[in-house]
């Protein structure tokens, strides 16, 4: 603790009649930096000029400081326990009914998608700037952003300089230059000799001269406090005004509303607050908009107790919602299969290959669930190419034998068509009718598919989100497969599951995005987890190599070797069109280059702007007669071309590791040796972080190991998808922070315990209201509503 360190230092200085104090330099500066966020400003003032004082004055200050440090910390804590609370309903009111703010302020909040009082208080700052006047020119380290109170000494202008305009200022401890890029000398008119200013900016130093470039000149209301900054993407009426003006409008109205946070009643159980040592909700919501006695570093790392409370609650509410869904699902009726094992034996006997022990284990876990008359909710994770689809087919066959239909929903039309062909190939010889429904299935064919699905003549229906449309009706839907979970919202999953008439279908969610087990259990807390952790026999690991752009000849040589064997090649680019800012090659432009490099081969192009029908046609052509497919990352999910043996990824540093692993999984889907070539520009050679990440892929082939590494390097945002915060409804929590991942674990444990004790939250009515307010329109929480 820094106060203890300061006490020990002062004791050391006072030994032998302050002998060490006589011989030491920079004592005031050292103590100032040590205590700047831990004691009152009046004591820090004493330290600013300390090093220029006489020995007697120094002794007196150290004695005064020592007696202050002996007292318990007087850090001002926020405490609203004595304030009479209002009913929680007062905070769930829509903005329009609030009397404490005017119409203009309501419009400001609406433009930030804030709909009610509670959401306004939870609209947390994304960062803070410490503009308190606790520093001097002398005590500020180069590179530090600070607010300084200074006096103008002189001004000048030299058009030959990089920053032509300068203002020399001082405080009692030193001098500083303010430098500006203004080309007009008249900008100096705002500064006059002897004028007192508060400037805020990053202090720099060059050859002993301290300076700031374009510092902000702060008004009195901006100086002397910690200033919150909010995320300001807006639509609507405020779009036309500057970001700074928008920020000030938002900051002012949130500051005004935060005054009322003190009246909010506590709704988290007392036991949880004590167990996790969390402050109250009133204090926490007040603090995030009006922080006191905290360092900028702690605030920006979200590590103050008040911020931690909100992070924890964010995650706890999410876990509680998942537990509610889980409890709700367990009470619903489902069909139970009477003898699925014999159907599975029959199906496996007809396969031209044998299942891996991991596939057999997973099928057994799923069958146990399907024999119960409670609906299964299971997440099946398996690496790219580990054979998840065959597992889904086997289970769909077992349902068909006992007279039930299955629905398989996938994120893209290409994937739907591919799955349709696979299911048809393996199931139709066994008498199972397979249908396909996507956006491009139209007219009489669409009518026919809908008719036969409703009559029960189609046993397995594959499709995209077209499956959840109202017109789709099943006869006896017993089993639902959702492939690539994170591309579908929880609500979409619910819409498909509601198509079982009179009973709830068993649900299997499949994902090839390897998420570390602990994270998967927390993020999909409403699902049980099965993992296929083995690859089919005879599969050779894909050999991965990292190349710089100037080594393209080597890559071209390897490609030509594979093409002469009759194999196929993917070339992937990160962007569709040339972007000036990123200077990335686009698939559209590079297609022409590859055509000239491989003039005797058929080089096709695929990108995200194409219509679904076009994409499907290109994929079919590539599978049957094409040699090279130049594409954006459209092909990352599930496309199966067994004789494709080379994956070239250009600008590989622009992709996340998990995404690259998905792309690599498009090759090596047979017993042929396959290769993945990661190509990066020459300048990446000096970017040790990017190289380190890509070397993980060169070294490892196991998706789960890669996911663990990726999480260590980049945090879990990449694994769950960038929009994870919005998708999961988090307002403060961010799983890229290690602290928040720890809270996720605690939140899960506490939510499970509370759900066991009070499943419908009848003993916690306010908590139930908060949960419904947060997730009621996003998840089906009718169980507690």
């Amino acid at each position: 603790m820094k106060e203890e360190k300061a006490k020990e230092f002062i004791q050391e200085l006072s030994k032998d009649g302050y002998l060490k104090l006589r011989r030491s330099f920079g004592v005031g500066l050292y103590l100032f930096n040590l205590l700047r966020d831990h004691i009152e400003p009046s004591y820090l003032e004493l330290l600013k000029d300390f090093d220029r004082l006489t020995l007697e004055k120094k002794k007196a200050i150290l004695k005064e400081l020592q007696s202050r440090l002996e007292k318990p910390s007087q850090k001002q804590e926020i405490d609203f326990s004595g304030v009479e609370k209002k009913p929680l309903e007062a905070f769930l009111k829509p903005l329009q009914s609030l009397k404490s703010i005017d119409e203009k302020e309501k419009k400001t909040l609406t433009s930030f998608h804030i709909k009610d009082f509670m959401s306004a208080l939870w609209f947390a700052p994304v960062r803070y700037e410490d503009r308190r006047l606790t520093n001097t020119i002398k005590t500020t380290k180069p590179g530090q952003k600070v607010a300084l109170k200074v006096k103008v000494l002189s001004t000048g202008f030299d058009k030959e300089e990089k920053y032509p305009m300068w203002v020399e200022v001082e405080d009692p401890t030193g001098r500083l230059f303010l430098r500006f890029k203004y080309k007009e000398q008249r900008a100096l008119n705002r500064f006059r000799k002897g004028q007192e200013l508060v400037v805020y900016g990053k202090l720099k130093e060059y050859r002993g001269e301290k300076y700031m470039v374009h510092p902000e000149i702060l008004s009195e209301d901006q100086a002397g406090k910690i200033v919150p900054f909010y995320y300001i993407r807006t639509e609507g009426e405020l779009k036309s005004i500057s970001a700074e003006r928008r920020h000030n409008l938002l900051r002012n109205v949130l500051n005004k509303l935060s005054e009322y946070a003190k009246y909010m009643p506590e709704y988290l159980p007392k036991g949880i607050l004590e167990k996790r040592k969390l402050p109250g909700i009133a204090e926490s919501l007040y603090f995030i908009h009006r922080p006191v006695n905290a360092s900028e570093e702690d605030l920006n790392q979200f590590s103050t107790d008040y911020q931690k409370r909100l992070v924890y609650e964010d995650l706890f509410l999410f876990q509680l919602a998942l537990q509610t869904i889980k409890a709700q699902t367990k009470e619903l009726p489902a069909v139970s299969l009477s003898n699925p094992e014999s159907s599975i034996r029959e199906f496996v006997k007809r396969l031209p290959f044998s299942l891996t022990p991991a596939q057999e284990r997973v099928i057994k876990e799923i069958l146990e669930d399907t024999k119960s008359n409670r609906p299964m909710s299971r997440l099946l994770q398996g690496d790219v190419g580990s054979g998840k689809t065959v597992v889904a087919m086997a289970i769909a066959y077992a349902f068909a034998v006992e007279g039930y239909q299955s629905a398989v929903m996938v994120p893209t039309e290409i994937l739907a068509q591919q799955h349709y062909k696979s299911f048809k190939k393996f199931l139709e010889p066994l008498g199972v009718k397979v249908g396909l429904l996507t956006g491009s299935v139209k007219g009489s064919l669409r009518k026919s598919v809908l008719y036969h699905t409703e009559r029960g003549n189609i046993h397995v229906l594959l499709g995209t989100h077209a499956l959840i449309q109202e017109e789709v009706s099943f006869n006896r839907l017993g089993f639902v497969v959702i492939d690539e979970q994170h591309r579908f919202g929880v609500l979409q999953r619910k819409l498909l599951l509601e198509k079982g008439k009179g009973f709830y279908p068993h649900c299997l969610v499949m994902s090839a995005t390897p998420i570390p087990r602990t994270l998967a259990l927390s993020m999909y807390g409403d699902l049980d987890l099965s993992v296929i952790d083995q690859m089919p026999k005879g599969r050779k690991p894909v050999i991965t190599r990292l190349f710089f752009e100037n080594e393209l000849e080597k890559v071209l040589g390897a490609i030509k070797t594979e093409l002469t064997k009759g194999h196929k090649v993917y070339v992937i680019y990160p962007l569709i069109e040339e972007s000036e800012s990123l200077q990335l090659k686009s698939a559209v432009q590079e297609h022409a280059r590859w055509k000239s490099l491989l003039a005797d081969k058929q080089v096709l192009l695929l990108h995200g702007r194409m219509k679904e029908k076009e994409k499907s046609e290109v994929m079919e052509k590539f599978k049957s007669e094409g040699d090279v497919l130049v594409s954006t990352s459209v092909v990352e999910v599930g496309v199966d071309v067994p004789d494709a043996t080379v994956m070239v990824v250009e600008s590989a540093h622009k992709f996340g590791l998990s995404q690259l692993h998905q792309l690599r999984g498009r090759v090596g889907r047979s017993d042929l040796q396959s290769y993945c070539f990661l190509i990066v520009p020459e300048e990446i050679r000096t970017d040790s972080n990017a190289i380190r990440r890509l070397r993980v892929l060169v070294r490892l082939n196991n998706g789960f190991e890669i996911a663990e590494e990726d999480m260590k390097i980049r945090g879990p945002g990449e694994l769950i998808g960038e929009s994870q915060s919005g998708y999961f409804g988090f307002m403060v929590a961010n799983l890229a922070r290690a602290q928040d991942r720890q809270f996720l674990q605690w939140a899960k444990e506490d939510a499970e315990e509370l759900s066991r004790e009070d499943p419908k939250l009848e003993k916690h009515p306010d908590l139930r209201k908060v949960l419904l307010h947060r997730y009621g329109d996003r998840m089906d929480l009718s169980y507690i509503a």
Side-chain angles (χ1 to χ4, degrees):
M1 205 173 164
K2 290 184 177 178
E3 289 105 312
E4 288 301 318
K5 207 171 177 180
K7 262 165 43 180
E8 286 168 19
F9 181 61
I10 293 169
Q11 278 165 356
E12 192 62 32
L13 289 173
S14 64
K15 285 178 183 171
D16 305 321
Y18 288 94
L19 184 64
K20 281 192 180 169
L21 178 61
R22 294 165 200 265
R23 296 174 179 170
S24 300
F25 296 99
V27 168
L29 182 61
Y30 175 73
L31 284 170
F32 180 93
N33 284 324
L34 202 59
L35 296 169
R36 65 157 34 120
D37 292 312
H38 300 277
I39 58 168
E40 297 73 27
S42 55
Y43 288 95
L44 294 175
E45 283 299 321
L46 296 174
L47 291 169
K48 284 182 180 177
D49 294 325
F50 185 91
D51 297 313
R52 293 199 287 188
L53 301 175
T54 63
L55 181 64
E56 290 312 308
K57 282 186 177 173
K58 284 180 181 176
K59 283 188 200 172
I61 289 173
L62 288 183
K63 282 175 183 168
E64 195 176 334
L65 200 54
Q66 196 160 17
S67 71
R68 161 64 188 86
L69 291 169
E70 294 302 335
K71 296 176 194 168
S73 173
Q74 292 172 9
K75 242 185 169 183
Q76 179 197 346
E77 296 295 346
I78 307 168
D79 182 10
F80 297 139
S81 55
V83 176
E84 190 179 336
K85 305 300 179 188
K86 293 193 182 304
L88 184 72
E89 283 74 11
F91 295 91
L92 303 178
K93 285 180 176 175
L95 289 180
Q96 294 316 316
S97 64
L98 295 185
K99 295 187 175 74
S100 49
I101 53 174
D102 62 30
E103 285 308 310
K104 191 180 168 190
E105 289 169 324
K106 286 173 187 173
K107 272 182 186 167
T108 297
L109 292 174
T110 308
S111 74
F112 286 90
H113 306 295
I114 296 169
K115 296 185 176 71
D116 52 55
F117 197 173
M118 179 73 106
S119 307
L121 292 174
W122 269 88
F123 196 84
V126 287
R127 67 181 178 88
Y128 296 86
E129 282 181 1
D130 186 352
R131 296 180 172 189
R132 292 175 295 185
L133 299 169
T134 52
N135 289 284
T136 63
I137 292 171
K138 187 175 180 180
T139 58
T140 304
K141 295 172 187 165
Q144 200 180 338
K145 273 185 111 173
V146 288
L148 297 170
K149 195 169 188 176
V150 293
K151 188 187 281 186
V152 175
L153 287 175
S154 61
T155 61
F157 192 87
D158 180 354
K159 65 174 188 292
E160 300 303 314
E161 291 279 332
K162 184 181 177 184
Y163 301 105
M165 179 178 135
W166 54 265
V167 180
E168 188 183 12
V169 297
E170 68 168 0
D171 73 1
T173 70
R175 291 187 176 192
L176 174 75
F177 282 90
L178 312 179
R179 299 195 172 277
F180 301 91
K181 232 175 185 166
Y182 301 130
K183 298 280 188 280
E184 299 284 332
Q185 202 160 343
R186 64 166 182 256
L188 279 173
N189 295 343
R190 63 185 292 199
F191 301 100
R192 60 184 187 279
K193 192 175 177 181
Q195 179 187 1
E196 290 203 330
L197 306 169
V198 176
V199 294
Y200 177 79
K202 187 184 277 189
L203 186 134
K204 299 179 177 184
E205 190 171 9
Y206 180 67
R207 292 186 175 170
E209 181 192 283
K210 291 185 174 181
Y211 66 99
M212 280 181 177
V213 175
H214 278 285
E216 278 184 68
I217 312 297
L218 301 183
S219 59
E220 274 185 30
D221 66 314
Q222 291 174 312
K225 59 188 177 191
I226 298 168
V227 181
F229 284 82
Y230 300 87
Y231 182 57
I232 57 161
R233 186 181 66 193
T234 61
E235 280 100 44
E237 293 182 35
L238 293 188
K239 217 173 180 181
S240 56
I241 64 173
S242 74
E244 189 179 353
R245 173 105 179 89
R246 260 182 282 168
H247 229 133
N248 289 335
L249 286 170
L250 180 67
R251 196 183 287 129
N252 292 341
V253 66
L254 290 176
N255 188 52
K256 192 172 175 181
L257 285 177
S258 65
E259 182 59 43
Y260 296 93
K262 64 176 80 159
Y263 301 112
M264 189 178 284
E266 184 53 67
Y267 45 79
L268 281 190
K270 195 177 171 200
I272 286 178
L273 293 177
E274 287 169 1
K275 179 181 175 185
R276 301 299 178 199
K277 299 184 174 59
L278 299 170
I281 186 63
E283 291 80 359
S284 302
L285 289 173
Y286 179 88
F287 174 88
I288 58 167
H289 302 290
R290 300 177 174 210
V292 288
N293 288 313
S295 72
E296 186 180 302
E297 187 185 5
D298 285 348
L299 284 165
N300 286 328
Q301 288 175 353
F302 273 71
S303 60
T304 67
D305 288 346
Y306 300 110
Q307 289 166 305
K308 284 177 180 174
R309 148 73 200 235
L310 298 178
V311 168
Y312 171 86
E313 184 181 321
D314 231 358
L315 298 164
F316 175 72
L317 290 175
F318 175 65
Q319 290 298 327
L320 205 52
L322 293 182
Q323 290 305 318
T324 302
I325 290 170
K326 198 169 187 174
Q328 187 169 301
T329 307
K330 279 185 177 154
E331 293 201 357
L332 296 164
V335 302
S336 64
L337 297 182
S338 55
N339 186 19
E341 288 86 355
S342 69
S343 307
I344 298 292
R345 280 195 296 274
E346 174 67 23
F347 175 77
V348 171
K349 204 163 69 185
R350 300 282 195 97
L351 289 175
F353 50 83
S354 54
L355 296 181
T356 62
Q359 285 171 312
E360 287 170 353
R361 183 190 70 242
V362 163
I363 287 174
K364 203 173 167 188
E365 288 168 0
I366 294 169
L367 291 187
E368 281 310 308
D369 289 352
T370 60
K371 289 193 288 186
S372 146
N373 56 5
R374 294 282 168 244
M376 165 177 79
S377 292
R378 192 170 278 281
L379 173 65
L380 174 57
Q381 274 198 305
D383 216 336
V384 189
S386 60
K388 296 180 296 298
T389 311
V390 173
V391 169
M393 264 185 230
I395 305 298
Y397 177 66
F399 274 91
V401 168
E402 299 197 25
Y404 297 106
Q405 291 168 296
S406 299
V408 182
M409 184 159 80
V410 297
T412 66
E413 191 139 340
I414 290 179
L415 200 51
Q417 291 187 335
Q418 183 181 290
H419 274 354
Y420 171 64
K421 283 171 189 157
S422 308
F423 273 73
K424 216 171 148 66
K425 178 181 163 187
F426 288 111
L427 294 180
E428 293 214 331
L430 294 165
V432 175
K433 283 273 170 270
V434 181
L436 174 70
L437 188 67
T438 64
S440 61
V441 175
K442 291 187 165 71
S444 58
L445 180 56
R446 188 179 191 86
K447 280 182 185 159
S448 169
V449 170
L450 292 171
Y451 175 85
H452 288 293
T453 301
E454 193 173 6
R455 296 292 180 286
N457 303 331
I458 287 177
H459 307 120
V460 180
L461 182 64
L462 292 113
T464 52
H465 53 266
L467 296 186
I468 62 178
Q469 287 166 358
E470 219 171 299
E471 57 177 346
V472 182
S473 177
F474 289 85
N475 183 283
R476 295 181 83 199
L477 181 63
F479 179 50
V480 163
V481 180
I482 297 173
D483 201 359
E484 284 302 317
Q485 156 70 8
H486 64 283
R487 301 210 180 181
F488 294 109
V490 179
L491 278 177
Q492 283 180 301
R493 190 165 100 200
K494 176 179 161 255
L495 287 170
L496 183 55
L497 291 169
E498 282 171 350
K499 291 189 179 284
K501 292 171 184 166
F503 47 78
Y504 203 75
H506 295 280
C507 176
L508 183 68
V509 172
M510 301 201 302
S511 176
T513 307
I515 299 173
R517 187 180 174 83
T518 47
L519 200 58
L521 286 170
S522 300
M523 297 322 306
Y524 303 112
D526 58 324
L527 307 173
D528 298 311
L529 184 65
S530 286
V531 180
I532 301 181
D533 47 13
Q534 273 173 313
M535 294 304 259
K537 271 199 183 108
R539 288 271 171 98
K540 294 172 183 162
V542 177
I543 294 169
T544 306
R545 296 270 182 271
L546 179 61
F547 291 100
F548 293 96
E549 278 177 356
N550 59 6
E551 300 174 291
L552 196 63
E553 278 305 311
K554 290 182 191 171
V555 176
L556 211 53
I559 287 172
K560 285 175 176 171
T561 303
E562 287 300 301
L563 288 171
T564 54
K565 294 177 188 171
H567 300 161
K568 297 178 190 293
V569 176
Y570 289 105
V571 181
I572 306 291
Y573 286 88
L575 281 189
I576 300 170
E577 279 153 9
E578 199 75 355
S579 150
E580 283 299 317
S581 58
L582 293 174
Q583 289 301 319
L584 291 178
K585 301 163 179 176
S586 72
V588 181
Q589 291 183 344
E590 288 297 314
H591 175 231
R593 185 167 78 103
W594 283 95
K595 275 178 89 164
S596 66
L597 287 171
L598 302 165
D600 59 331
K601 299 293 175 191
Q602 191 171 1
V603 182
L604 303 167
L605 173 66
L606 178 75
H607 59 75
R609 297 275 169 93
M610 290 176 165
K611 290 191 166 68
E612 289 294 342
K613 194 166 184 288
E614 273 182 280
K615 286 185 197 171
S616 301
E617 284 166 4
V618 171
M619 277 314 294
E620 275 316 301
K621 199 171 179 186
F622 177 56
K623 258 179 126 165
S624 58
E625 58 188 79
D627 299 304
V628 179
L629 180 68
V630 175
S631 168
T632 50
S633 53
V634 179
V635 298
E636 74 182 84
V637 176
V639 178
D640 200 1
V641 182
D643 49 356
T645 60
V646 180
M647 169 63 67
V648 179
V649 186
E650 290 261 13
S651 300
H653 60 297
K654 292 285 172 189
F655 293 91
L657 277 190
S658 295
Q659 201 182 5
L660 284 171
H661 180 63
Q662 294 278 320
L663 287 168
R664 176 168 67 180
R666 297 303 107 228
V667 296
R669 301 183 77 83
S670 64
D671 54 1
L672 300 170
Q673 179 61 62
S674 293
Y675 304 88
C676 176
F677 302 136
L678 307 173
I679 300 176
V680 291
E682 189 56 37
E683 61 263 24
I684 295 299
R685 207 182 277 274
T686 54
D687 183 344
S688 56
N689 248 356
I691 296 293
R692 180 175 149 222
R693 273 183 46 242
L694 295 170
R695 292 219 184 280
V696 168
L697 218 70
V698 173
R699 194 175 79 243
L700 300 174
N701 255 298
N702 180 312
F704 290 95
E705 288 173 16
I706 289 166
E708 291 285 0
E709 288 286 327
D710 206 8
M711 198 156 108
K712 281 179 206 159
I713 298 169
R714 285 165 71 108
E718 179 65 35
L719 305 176
I720 303 164
E722 273 319 311
S723 61
Q724 49 105 355
S725 300
Y727 173 66
F728 294 117
F730 301 152
M731 298 179 88
V732 185
N734 175 0
L735 293 173
R737 289 190 292 255
Q739 151 199 293
D740 295 21
R741 294 200 293 279
Q742 175 60 63
F743 285 166
L744 181 64
Q745 205 48 45
W746 290 349
K748 182 172 188 283
E749 290 165 21
D750 297 344
E752 283 174 350
E753 193 178 328
L754 187 66
S755 289
R756 280 194 298 273
E757 290 167 11
D758 186 13
K760 297 198 174 181
L761 298 178
E762 285 155 340
K763 296 175 197 160
H764 302 88
D766 276 0
L767 177 58
R768 185 172 70 209
K769 286 170 199 161
V770 170
L771 186 62
L772 287 166
H773 171 262
R774 178 73 71 93
Y775 283 110
D777 61 345
R778 228 179 298 210
M779 300 184 188
D780 176 16
L781 301 179
S782 50
Y783 184 69
I784 60 163

